[in-house]
Amino acid sequence: MPRRRTSSSASSTAPSAAPRNRTPQPVRVRRRSFGDFVKAFLAFVVLLVLVVGVPLALATQIGWPLPDGAPGLDWLQREITVKTFLNILTVVVWFAWAQFTACVLVEVKAALSGVGVPGRVPGSGPSQLLARQLVAALLLVGATAASLTPGLSQLGQSMEGNQKPSVAAAQQTPGIFAQQQEQAAGTASALAEQAGQAAARADGGSAAHGDTKYYRIQPPEGRHHDSLWEIADRHLGDGRRYKEIFELNKDRVQPDGSKLSEASLIRPGWIMEMPGDARGGELVEMPDEAPNVSEQVRQQISDYARTGDHAQGGGGSGAHGGGDNAQVSLPEQRPAPATPATPAPSAGQEHAATPAAADHSFGLPEALLTAPLLAAGLLGALGRRRRQALWQSALGSVGGRRGMEPPTPTGDAQDVQDALLVGADPEGVRLLDRALRGLAAALTAESRPLPVVYAAWMGGNGDLHLQLAQPAGKPPAPWQLGQDQTFWMLARADAERYEDADTAAPYPGLVSLGTMDDSRLLLNLESVPGIVSLGGTEADRTAVFASVAAELATNGWSDRMTITLVGFGEDLTPLAPNRIRHLDGFEDLFETMSAETRQRRGALGAAGHDSVLTGRTGPAQHTRWAPHLVLLATQPSDEDALRLAELAADAGRLGIGYLVGTEGTDLPGAAWEMRITGEGKLLAPLLGLELEAQTLPAAQRRAVVELFTDADPEHGPGGSDGPGGASGTANTPPFLVDISEQGRPAVYARLVGSYEIIGLDAPDDDRSALLHEALALLLLHREGVHPRVLSSALWPRGVTADVRDALLERLRAWLGTDPDGTPRLATDATGRLTLAKSVVSDLDVLRSLYYEATQGRGVGSRQVRGRLLTDALVLVRGPLLADRPEGRYRWLTHEIIDAQLPLLVADTGLALSEFHLEKDRAEKAIEALNAALRTAPADERLWHELLRATHATGDPDRLRALAADLVGRSGARGVPPRTEALLDELLPTWRDGVAAAG
């Protein structure tokens, strides 16, 4: 059950001097066997050799290895002899001996004093482990040996292995809402029992029931419940060893007839068999000699002991406690079902590696390189913002014309943009969105409600695991049951078969928190039964909050959402002005959320739903029930915290989530407690989570906001806020070509239409396609391309640095050098790849011609303007890279060139049409407009000018035919309002022709 703490929680959770189990039990000590004395003798011999024999051998055989006096400068010039090497090796051996001897002394002191786990000698993991085993074996015949842990039972295992076991089992999460207690001190009887257990395991035999330890789950004290994590922490010294207890007791029948199937679901009265090195005798009960335990309990333990050889089957469908038993655990990585063989990778992809691990980040922000879903959301939102700015500029709706190019980012903004390009995983976002919507559609078809999902895990192999709050039956195909009834999984191959589904996003509150064992955790904030608290320093907390807010505002698996930021993030609003709102303080938040909570409760009651999830499937899904997520970065006062806890008590079913920053660990109403460390670890000990946190630090946050602000036509450069919008520098192309006869380039690439290269020999190896694609990317980014951006564009699934560098060398050799010896592919001061001015594309020429015609030489000369515009329009042979190969050039989806080129062509056609209409050459104007429409058929401005030019011919039949064609192209959407108004002006009877045709 959750810890929904109130004002009295502080007192109820205060440390208590009395142990939770107040029935200390005697412990039997087993007689020592002959094998124990043999092992002790052998351990003594080994210790004698290592501690005494090694220094004696060094002293007598080698002697003192260091020089007798201070060496002079001529010592550095002496010849290195065999004796020199022996002396160096002797010094190393002396240091190793000193380190091992220190370990032996530490272990002996700990064993004789009975302090339990001894201190660690720095840098002595293997040495101290060996010393521990030898001392334990030597003292095995005495009672004090039991204090040595991990003991002989773990001979051959690493110390780190005992402290941080691998996360592989399905049910590995301790009780979430348990509170860690202070570790109880071990008693002498417990130490003796540990020695007995160690000896029994060393003999290879199984311990009798009388030598096995058991623990009985205690009833809750106040609102605090026992958990396997706390039991392991108190009696094994490390809460992460709860899995050992779980494996010993998994699926064994308990006194009440139920079974343990989830590590986080244990009940008072259950019995747990403990590992042999458990300590704390006053808390560990034995099945036989337990005079202070009732006969009934003693019989229960004895009966339970006889089930020790139970079959270790799969996780059963044990009782789950519903919403209040929230728990998050890592899913098992199950192999995906067999699928048809995939096509062989292209040249170079046989060396593929993950993009983040391919090589060093080259100075790019690591926080965004390792956040693929966040980066994909930001990159997609930035592209949409830039396209919107282009269209607003083209239609003249905001300020003056900004031209074709958005501002080129520099400095931190440029690094962040490159990091977004490298780190983004748009395919992962698309699969996640389709999988979730497909699941919702399938459940709707079966008239089943959406299950409550606490978390989603995206595995390194692309599989998706949903962790449910409680079992919800068999999932609809192609989903499968995971490791137990609370996991639904979907293999990546099955997710790729999903099509777009016209249904509401079922879990829009999912947000990435970090990675654990190559799996990415997305927590469903709107389903948490209470508040999620986040501890740590203010800067670290804010970095997590900013990452959560940015991903929620731009992700691709949500429809509608409100994100309320309190105490931070006012600058984040430009990311999504329709989603993000900022409040100044808690009073504003409480007033707003109280009203919304009442409204949602009433709406759910009126609709007959018990939660927002039932409103997202079935006939009522049109209501959407969008989530509202509150991020409160500053810790509320005690009074405000209580008001917030009361407000959030029913938040889970209302679709409202609360993530609250706190400086302490005691926040009323906190269902899940997490903490961010200065090293970037997101810790939730009671959830069993230790994540590599996903963050958006302050510098990267400012750079991201700068990218979005610059893309905003109302606030960016050249927008309505600037005086130079109509003819300022924002209209200047990033690269101007010398369009005179003397400016003939050495290498000329045609990109507008089919891809052709003039001035270079065709590559004759199998990497020709990669070289052409790399050159196209560089031509579209004259400002320079980061090597990591180039690598991720050519190899979306990653590639090693040596393969990338080899391709760059081939590209340099292919492009060659200018007559003066300057390489045509260079690297600038920031490490980005740039092309020489002698390498140009037809797109560069098209931009330069339009610029010269409208802002350069053509401004003062009508004849020059007409010639330049005509030459520009002749260059247009079709869409960009019209014959691009299937599966390549996927990086173009991140670019806005597909939106820029039609606008540039339309601008050129409009300018040339105006040029001809000034001299009443309507036919020439129509010819220019039709040429532009072949590349920009959706540009409404071209159709308007075509209507005016056709009207200027004085042929009403031709105008009616054009109007009918335009109406037909409009389809079900109908004619746009401005086009309709123009038709009314030029051809008032156009509706009669439409009605007659209909």
Side-chain angles (χ1 to χ4, degrees):
M1 297 297 290
R3 279 189 299 138
R4 299 266 181 91
R5 287 172 289 176
T6 62
S7 59
S8 62
S9 62
S11 60
S12 64
T13 58
S16 176
R20 184 170 304 170
N21 184 343
R22 299 175 177 83
T23 55
Q25 303 300 328
V27 181
R28 298 193 311 172
V29 180
R30 185 176 64 84
R31 292 179 176 274
R32 309 301 177 217
S33 65
F34 176 77
D36 297 337
F37 290 94
V38 172
K39 288 179 175 59
F41 175 76
L42 293 177
F44 174 78
V45 172
V46 174
L47 282 172
L48 187 64
V49 170
L50 293 177
V51 176
V52 180
V54 169
L56 287 178
L58 291 174
T60 57
Q61 300 300 320
I62 305 297
W64 185 249
L66 300 178
D68 296 329
L73 293 178
D74 61 334
W75 178 77
L76 298 175
Q77 301 176 352
R78 292 181 185 176
E79 182 181 0
I80 299 177
T81 63
V82 175
K83 183 179 180 182
T84 304
F85 281 105
L86 289 177
N87 287 339
I88 295 174
L89 182 61
T90 303
V91 172
V92 173
V93 175
W94 272 110
F95 276 114
W97 170 82
Q99 184 187 58
F100 178 78
T101 303
C103 294
V104 172
L105 295 175
V106 169
E107 296 296 329
V108 170
K109 179 179 181 299
L112 296 179
S113 61
V115 297
V117 178
R120 297 185 62 181
V121 178
S124 305
S127 298
Q128 188 166 3
L129 178 63
L130 176 61
R132 180 172 301 175
Q133 311 306 327
L134 292 174
V135 174
L138 178 63
L139 302 181
L140 195 60
V141 294
T144 57
S147 64
L148 301 176
T149 55
L152 291 178
S153 61
Q154 296 173 337
L155 185 60
Q157 301 180 17
S158 69
M159 295 178 66
E160 286 74 18
N162 196 31
Q163 294 170 355
K164 187 176 181 180
S166 61
V167 185
Q171 303 84 359
Q172 59 182 334
T173 306
I176 286 181
F177 306 110
Q179 184 180 18
Q180 291 187 339
Q181 299 291 325
E182 189 174 350
Q183 181 179 331
T187 60
S189 59
L191 299 178
E193 176 59 19
Q194 291 175 28
Q197 291 292 330
R201 293 188 182 187
D203 287 337
S206 60
H209 292 324
D211 294 323
T212 305
K213 300 180 180 181
Y214 295 87
Y215 177 78
R216 189 164 180 265
I217 306 301
Q218 299 301 301
E221 291 184 355
R223 307 194 70 177
H224 182 85
H225 294 252
D226 220 339
S227 71
L228 292 187
W229 179 281
E230 290 191 9
I231 296 170
D233 188 43
R234 291 195 304 270
H235 304 306
L236 300 177
D238 188 346
R240 288 172 289 190
R241 293 185 63 189
Y242 73 90
K243 285 175 288 186
E244 299 177 30
I245 305 175
F246 174 78
E247 291 299 329
L248 284 173
N249 300 276
K250 180 182 176 183
D251 290 338
R252 295 171 68 174
V253 178
Q254 294 291 337
D256 61 359
S258 56
K259 297 179 181 180
L260 173 66
S261 60
E262 290 277 355
S264 60
L265 299 176
I266 58 177
R267 301 176 183 176
W270 279 10
I271 298 165
M272 296 289 116
E273 181 178 342
M274 301 292 290
D277 61 336
R279 60 185 179 272
E282 78 281 3
L283 300 177
V284 179
E285 299 175 346
M286 309 299 297
D288 296 329
E289 299 179 8
N292 295 328
V293 176
S294 67
E295 179 63 31
Q296 179 183 4
V297 173
R298 193 158 57 245
Q299 184 61 43
Q300 289 176 354
I301 298 177
S302 298
D303 293 341
Y304 186 77
R306 287 192 286 270
T307 68
D309 293 331
H310 66 288
Q312 297 293 331
S317 58
H320 290 255
D324 285 344
N325 281 328
Q327 49 99 15
V328 175
S329 54
L330 192 69
E332 286 180 343
Q333 299 300 324
R334 298 173 53 183
T339 57
T342 55
S346 59
Q349 283 195 345
E350 63 273 9
H351 303 286
T354 57
D359 58 321
H360 192 264
S361 63
F362 285 98
L364 297 183
E366 199 72 32
L368 292 171
L369 291 176
T370 56
L373 304 184
L374 170 61
L378 289 172
L379 196 61
L382 182 60
R384 291 190 295 272
R385 182 69 55 82
R386 286 173 171 172
R387 287 180 175 87
Q388 180 186 14
L390 284 173
W391 280 106
Q392 288 181 343
S393 174
L395 297 176
S397 60
V398 178
R401 297 299 308 278
R402 294 183 60 190
M404 179 185 171
E405 289 295 324
T408 301
T410 58
D412 289 345
Q414 187 178 20
D415 289 340
V416 162
Q417 179 174 272
D418 287 342
L420 294 178
L421 289 168
V422 174
D425 181 17
E427 180 67 11
V429 172
R430 184 182 67 86
L431 291 179
L432 176 63
D433 182 45
R434 288 187 173 183
L436 296 177
R437 294 181 193 269
L439 174 63
L443 291 172
T444 300
E446 298 177 7
S447 299
R448 296 171 59 186
L450 284 169
V452 177
V453 169
Y454 282 138
W457 292 90
M458 297 187 70
N461 58 358
D463 292 349
L464 175 62
H465 302 254
L466 296 183
Q467 189 164 0
L468 314 183
Q470 57 187 1
K474 184 179 179 180
W479 290 79
Q480 311 168 37
L481 282 176
Q483 61 238 34
D484 60 38
Q485 297 289 330
T486 61
F487 273 92
W488 286 2
M489 69 161 292
L490 180 69
R492 182 184 178 93
D494 293 328
E496 290 174 345
R497 300 189 186 102
Y498 268 118
E499 301 293 336
D500 291 332
D502 185 18
T503 187
Y507 303 111
L510 286 169
V511 65
S512 303
L513 290 184
T515 57
M516 180 179 181
D517 289 358
D518 199 31
S519 291
R520 182 167 301 276
L521 170 65
L522 289 87
L523 188 65
N524 191 6
L525 288 178
E526 69 166 337
S527 70
V528 177
I531 297 172
V532 179
S533 68
L534 178 66
T537 65
E538 183 177 359
D540 293 334
R541 294 199 314 263
T542 303
V544 174
F545 277 108
S547 170
V548 170
E551 185 170 295
L552 290 173
T554 60
N555 70 39
W557 55 90
S558 301
D559 292 322
R560 296 184 300 129
M561 177 179 295
T562 301
I563 306 163
T564 297
L565 309 180
V566 186
F568 88 108
E570 188 173 5
D571 58 332
L572 291 174
T573 305
L575 271 59
N578 295 329
R579 284 192 176 188
I580 296 179
R581 66 179 179 184
H582 179 268
L583 298 179
D584 293 331
F586 182 81
E587 289 302 326
D588 293 338
L589 172 67
F590 186 76
E591 180 180 354
T592 301
M593 297 311 301
S594 295
E596 181 165 342
T597 299
R598 290 192 299 269
Q599 187 273 335
R600 290 203 175 208
R601 284 173 180 161
L604 281 177
H609 301 313
D610 57 352
S611 74
V612 296
L613 289 179
T614 57
R616 290 182 185 154
T617 56
Q621 65 171 308
H622 64 278
T623 59
R624 302 282 179 172
W625 299 100
H628 186 163
L629 301 172
V630 177
L631 307 180
L632 179 59
T634 56
Q635 180 170 346
S637 65
D638 293 343
E639 180 181 356
D640 291 340
L642 290 176
R643 296 167 67 190
L644 185 63
E646 181 180 358
L647 190 64
D650 199 24
R653 74 182 190 93
L654 301 178
I656 304 175
Y658 293 88
L659 181 59
V660 181
T662 176
E663 298 175 0
T665 58
D666 191 12
L667 185 68
W672 292 347
E673 296 177 348
M674 299 182 295
R675 180 171 61 87
I676 178 68
T677 69
E679 293 75 30
K681 297 284 187 180
L682 189 64
L683 306 178
L686 302 181
L687 288 132
L689 296 178
E690 182 176 335
L691 303 172
E692 294 291 339
Q694 178 173 298
T695 61
L696 188 60
Q700 283 80 60
R701 182 172 72 252
R702 288 192 295 268
V704 167
V705 173
E706 179 182 340
L707 289 174
F708 278 80
T709 303
D710 287 348
D712 190 339
E714 296 184 1
H715 302 94
S720 61
D721 292 348
S727 59
T729 58
N731 260 349
T732 306
F735 176 68
L736 286 173
V737 178
D738 183 0
I739 56 177
S740 66
E741 188 64 28
Q742 293 74 24
R744 185 178 298 274
V747 178
Y748 182 66
R750 291 179 174 176
L751 304 179
V752 184
S754 58
Y755 191 2
E756 300 175 18
I757 297 179
I758 301 172
L760 292 177
D761 295 332
D764 55 1
D765 60 11
D766 57 354
R767 287 172 174 78
S768 174
L770 285 172
L771 292 173
H772 280 75
E773 187 173 356
L775 180 57
L777 178 62
L778 291 167
L779 286 167
L780 293 177
H781 291 277
R782 303 303 305 222
E783 74 277 8
V785 177
H786 197 285
R788 286 293 300 273
V789 175
L790 179 69
S791 176
S792 64
L794 300 181
W795 294 281
R797 289 186 287 180
V799 74
T800 54
D802 58 336
V803 174
R804 181 201 62 212
D805 294 342
L807 179 74
L808 289 179
E809 289 304 316
R810 291 189 183 92
L811 184 60
R812 286 191 175 94
W814 182 43
L815 291 175
T817 60
D818 286 332
D820 61 357
T822 303
R824 292 170 180 157
L825 178 62
T827 303
D828 66 9
T830 65
R832 289 173 170 81
L833 303 167
T834 58
L835 290 173
K837 292 184 178 180
S838 59
V839 183
V840 302
S841 70
D842 55 355
L843 184 58
D844 296 326
V845 177
L846 177 60
R847 289 167 170 163
S848 299
L849 288 170
Y850 177 76
Y851 174 77
E852 286 292 335
T854 57
Q855 299 185 58
R857 291 176 296 162
V859 174
S861 172
R862 171 181 168 79
Q863 182 179 2
V864 171
R865 182 167 74 254
R867 177 173 54 82
L868 293 175
L869 290 173
T870 302
D871 291 345
L873 208 55
V874 169
L875 291 176
V876 181
R877 300 175 296 120
L880 185 75
L881 297 169
D883 56 353
R884 68 186 75 163
E886 176 110 12
R888 302 216 64 88
Y889 297 87
R890 293 182 178 176
W891 47 269
L892 281 173
T893 59
H894 302 317
E895 308 280 347
I896 63 169
I897 185 62
D898 284 333
Q900 292 171 321
L901 179 59
L903 286 177
L904 178 60
V905 173
D907 286 346
T908 305
L910 290 170
L912 188 56
S913 172
E914 182 183 5
F915 171 81
H916 288 305
L917 288 176
E918 288 175 355
K919 294 296 185 179
D920 295 326
R921 296 196 291 263
E923 293 297 337
K924 288 287 187 180
I926 292 173
E927 181 181 345
L929 293 168
N930 282 327
L933 279 168
R934 285 193 288 270
T935 300
D939 197 313
E940 191 179 0
R941 300 171 303 157
L942 291 174
W943 290 104
H944 290 177
E945 289 305 307
L946 186 59
L947 286 171
R948 291 189 179 98
T950 304
H951 180 265
T953 63
D955 187 346
D957 293 334
R958 189 174 179 181
L959 183 60
R960 275 192 291 269
L962 178 60
D965 181 42
L966 186 55
V967 171
R969 290 174 180 270
S970 301
R973 295 176 301 173
V975 179
R978 284 191 290 187
T979 305
E980 185 176 338
L982 183 60
L983 285 171
D984 287 337
E985 176 187 346
L986 301 178
L987 187 64
T989 61
W990 70 275
R991 286 185 172 83
D992 298 335
V994 173

